[in-house]
Amino acid sequence: MNFNVCTTFRKLYLCQLSETIPNMKIYSVSLILIFACVSLQTKAQDTLWKNEKLNTAKDCKYMEPQEREMIYELNRLRSDPPRYAKEFVKPMLDGALRNLKEYGKGDANYSLTTSYVNNKPSKVDTTWHYINEEEVKACQTLYDSLLKMKPLSILLPDEGIYNACIKHAKDQGPTNNVNHQGRDGSWPWERVTKYSPKMRTGNENIAYNSDADVRTIVLQLLVDTGIPGYGHRYNTLNAEWTHVACYYTRPPVMKSKWWIQEYGAIEK
């Protein structure tokens, strides 16, 4: 199996990993560590968007309230991408444009793309960009894409996928860190289909930010600044997904707070 991992270094740490399998489908796995990115700290969470049909996890008592809210947020996005763009992405784009105008292109930054063959690194490629310039590009492409996008499938909660999240968190607990590959060598799609056999495939996003609200994390995954190809964005907006589980790490499993989103596509 061949893998590509892309990492960008700034206040944010982003990693994109993809697997090429025999039938030539590409499965993108996303990791994003969110630190203090001021331009993306918005008042978006204060904006009301109530639709109980989108709150598919509201009765899932096995999830914490924040976890259920993240599924609600993902369904807001997927149910009406143009509205999401106008209400939440446009303010971020405006802020990025102001920063570019006032401060210029910003500092030079880079992403590293590591290619893996048989789970071993084979080469590393470097892609350079300017922070403020790239922020505008990322926000603009997201905004334009969402404006043209039709509604996507509404995600349903799945307890099996949730158990896959917990399994992975417990596996990573001793490290107080979360990576996509488990210490047993498992990958997200393998964990999803193992713990929820009705799924034919799956995927994963991981985010770190102990203070950010749910919407800030979802927006950061969507913008995906500095990542060639915006893999996290397209993972979140994948029309193939039918089910999802969201889990945040907490004691005694792990001291630090990480978010794990795992998606599944049910067998047809």
Side-chain angles (χ1 to χ4, degrees):
M1 292 183 181
N2 300 331
F3 297 88
N4 293 312
V5 177
C6 180
T7 306
T8 183
F9 296 90
R10 60 180 295 194
K11 292 179 180 178
L12 310 178
Y13 171 81
L14 303 140
C15 165
Q16 177 185 340
L17 178 152
S18 63
E19 176 194 16
T20 305
I21 59 177
N23 63 5
M24 298 305 293
K25 289 186 178 179
I26 303 295
Y27 293 89
S28 294
V29 183
S30 309
L31 169 66
I32 176 171
L33 309 185
I34 310 170
F35 295 102
C37 186
V38 176
S39 65
L40 296 178
Q41 297 292 330
T42 71
K43 298 293 184 179
Q45 199 72 16
D46 298 332
T47 302
L48 296 180
W49 183 342
K50 293 185 177 180
N51 183 340
E52 286 304 303
K53 292 182 179 179
L54 305 178
N55 195 9
T56 57
K58 63 181 178 180
D59 296 323
C60 296
K61 302 304 181 184
Y62 57 85
M63 290 186 188
E64 293 295 316
Q66 279 185 288
E67 296 166 347
R68 298 195 292 268
E69 178 59 31
M70 180 166 280
I71 294 178
Y72 196 177
E73 186 67 19
L74 289 169
N75 281 335
R76 290 185 181 105
L77 163 67
R78 293 171 68 91
S79 69
D80 194 343
R83 177 180 174 181
Y84 206 90
K86 294 172 185 176
E87 293 193 17
F88 308 129
V89 179
K90 185 60 163 61
M92 296 166 57
L93 173 59
D94 291 342
L97 287 167
R98 285 194 298 270
N99 283 342
L100 180 63
K101 182 178 180 180
E102 184 172 352
Y103 302 110
K105 294 189 295 184
D107 294 335
N109 198 13
Y110 63 95
S111 301
L112 298 179
T113 301
T114 305
S115 299
Y116 288 74
V117 177
N118 296 325
N119 284 350
K120 296 181 179 179
S122 61
K123 67 174 182 176
V124 178
D125 296 317
T126 304
T127 304
W128 286 90
H129 60 268
Y130 293 96
I131 292 177
N132 294 345
E133 190 175 67
E134 168 61 19
E135 190 92 348
V136 169
K137 179 184 175 183
C139 288
Q140 186 70 65
T141 56
L142 173 61
Y143 181 70
D144 293 343
S145 296
L146 292 180
L147 285 181
K148 297 181 290 186
M149 190 172 293
K150 295 180 179 180
L152 302 168
S153 55
I154 299 304
L155 301 174
L156 301 175
D158 184 86
E159 190 167 3
I161 298 178
Y162 188 74
N163 289 335
C165 294
I166 295 174
K167 183 270 179 191
H168 190 47
K170 288 182 176 179
D171 174 79
Q172 300 286 289
T175 69
N176 206 37
N177 194 2
V178 182
N179 294 300
H180 290 298
Q181 187 177 30
R183 292 189 297 160
D184 60 356
S186 67
W187 294 100
W189 44 87
E190 295 171 328
R191 294 189 292 270
V192 167
T193 55
K194 177 181 178 180
Y195 285 88
S196 187
K198 62 186 177 182
M199 302 297 157
R200 57 184 171 81
T201 189
N203 207 330
E204 180 179 85
N205 285 345
I206 299 174
Y208 174 78
N209 190 333
S210 59
D211 298 321
D213 58 49
V214 163
R215 184 165 293 153
T216 296
I217 292 173
V218 171
L219 283 166
Q220 184 62 67
L221 288 165
L222 283 170
V223 175
D224 218 9
T225 302
I227 292 295
Y230 304 125
H232 312 97
R233 176 189 307 178
Y234 293 112
N235 187 36
T236 305
L237 296 171
N238 190 338
E240 184 179 25
W241 305 135
T242 57
H243 291 74
V244 69
C246 300
Y247 175 83
Y248 68 85
T249 61
R250 47 195 179 270
V253 174
M254 191 176 292
K255 293 180 181 179
S256 56
K257 181 177 178 180
W258 294 71
W259 277 98
I260 302 174
Q261 297 176 343
E262 294 204 1
Y263 299 92
I266 200 167
E267 290 280 5
K268 295 182 179 179

